[in-house]
Amino acid sequence: MDTVSLAKRRYTTKAYDATRKIPQATIDALLEQLRHSPSSVNSQPWHFVVADTAEGKARLAKATEGGFAYNTPKILDASHVIAFCTRTDMTEAHLAAVLDQEQHDGRFRNDQARAGQDQTRRGYVDLHRFDLKDLQHWMEKQTYLALGTALLGAAAHGLDATPIEGFDSKALDAELGLREQGYTSVVLLSLGYRSESDFNAELSKSRLPASTVFTFL
């Protein structure tokens, strides 16, 4: 797979063809890729809410009413929309669930390896909770790693995509009852197929030159 071509071809879609739906097999593959996104010390501090019905997308679009109304069509006309959510705390229950899953998946040669992994992960959590005091921000950074995974995956499947930060997170949290579940919404991702009216599809991609963004030691 030519990942450079994928990166150059993908762009932020501004308008979707509301008549086109992503095949179920394609969305299933993308979600499985998303589930396998990397995260620091395999902390996986995320949850993904997937809307693929008119009713579901309308619920997400409520968070764009008012000042973010320009993003409403990108949600309503897309085939699927994913709300990327981050934990509001790194709980004991979550840490135990991750450790048990690693055990189930054969990650540990023995009890010592299991204990070492648990200690290392807790060390990073405590570092961000108590010393750096940026636990929420650290967990959100892991969620953005998942967003990057999904964007490249969408391009690989020939899908168009739009990451959306322009929405009312508080309103969406209330609509979905996220905070009661221990999560908060961070970013939305619309997925589907571009409309012929999407002006951005024909514009050239623009990035700073390699000489500016790379330093070689």
Side-chain angles (χ1 to χ4, degrees), residues 16-96:
Y16 285 90
D17 183 345
T19 67
R20 299 188 64 187
K21 194 77 171 178
I22 300 172
Q24 190 60 47
T26 301
I27 200 69
D28 288 346
L30 181 61
L31 293 179
E32 186 65 0
Q33 182 176 354
L34 178 58
R35 189 173 70 87
H36 283 84
S37 298
S39 60
S40 178
V41 290
N42 198 30
S43 53
Q44 304 175 66
W46 48 51
H47 187 78
F48 310 109
V49 178
V50 183
D52 63 351
T53 65
E55 294 77 13
K57 289 180 288 185
R59 292 185 66 188
L60 299 187
K62 289 181 181 179
T64 60
E65 295 174 355
F68 301 112
Y70 57 88
N71 280 326
T72 302
K74 301 185 187 80
I75 295 173
L76 296 180
D77 294 341
S79 172
H80 290 66
V81 183
I82 304 175
F84 285 66
C85 309
T86 302
R87 300 192 65 86
T88 54
D89 190 20
M90 186 63 72
T91 65
E92 282 294 320
H94 180 69
L95 289 170

Side-chain angles (χ1 to χ4, degrees), residues 5-184:
S5 293
L6 290 178
K8 289 182 176 181
R9 186 170 72 244
R10 69 143 303 277
Y11 76 106
T12 298
T13 303
K14 301 298 183 181
Y16 285 90
D17 183 345
T19 67
R20 299 188 64 187
K21 194 77 171 178
I22 300 172
Q24 190 60 47
T26 301
I27 200 69
D28 288 346
L30 181 61
L31 293 179
E32 186 65 0
Q33 182 176 354
L34 178 58
R35 189 173 70 87
H36 283 84
S37 298
S39 60
S40 178
V41 290
N42 198 30
S43 53
Q44 304 175 66
W46 48 51
H47 187 78
F48 310 109
V49 178
V50 183
D52 63 351
T53 65
E55 294 77 13
K57 289 180 288 185
R59 292 185 66 188
L60 299 187
K62 289 181 181 179
T64 60
E65 295 174 355
F68 301 112
Y70 57 88
N71 280 326
T72 302
K74 301 185 187 80
I75 295 173
L76 296 180
D77 294 341
S79 172
H80 290 66
V81 183
I82 304 175
F84 285 66
C85 309
T86 302
R87 300 192 65 86
T88 54
D89 190 20
M90 186 63 72
T91 65
E92 282 294 320
H94 180 69
L95 289 170
V98 171
L99 191 67
D100 287 346
Q101 188 65 52
E102 289 171 331
Q103 178 80 48
H104 179 270
D105 292 335
R107 293 284 298 167
F108 309 126
R109 296 185 304 274
N110 49 44
D111 290 343
Q112 183 178 2
R114 174 187 168 102
Q117 172 69 358
D118 187 38
Q119 182 179 9
T120 297
R121 183 158 42 237
R122 289 174 181 275
Y124 274 90
V125 172
D126 287 347
L127 171 67
H128 289 281
R129 190 198 304 275
F130 299 117
D131 300 334
L132 299 178
K133 303 186 187 306
D134 67 345
L135 181 62
Q136 186 65 35
H137 180 57
W138 178 72
M139 291 191 292
E140 289 180 0
K141 287 193 291 186
Q142 313 316 311
T143 305
Y144 271 84
L145 289 178
L147 175 64
T149 297
L151 285 171
L152 190 59
H157 286 289
L159 303 176
D160 294 306
T162 310
I164 299 173
E165 290 185 316
F167 70 99
D168 186 333
S169 177
K170 185 177 180 180
L172 187 57
D173 289 359
E175 172 65 28
L176 301 179
L178 290 174
R179 297 187 185 183
E180 293 81 357
Q181 301 173 58
Y183 297 99
T184 183

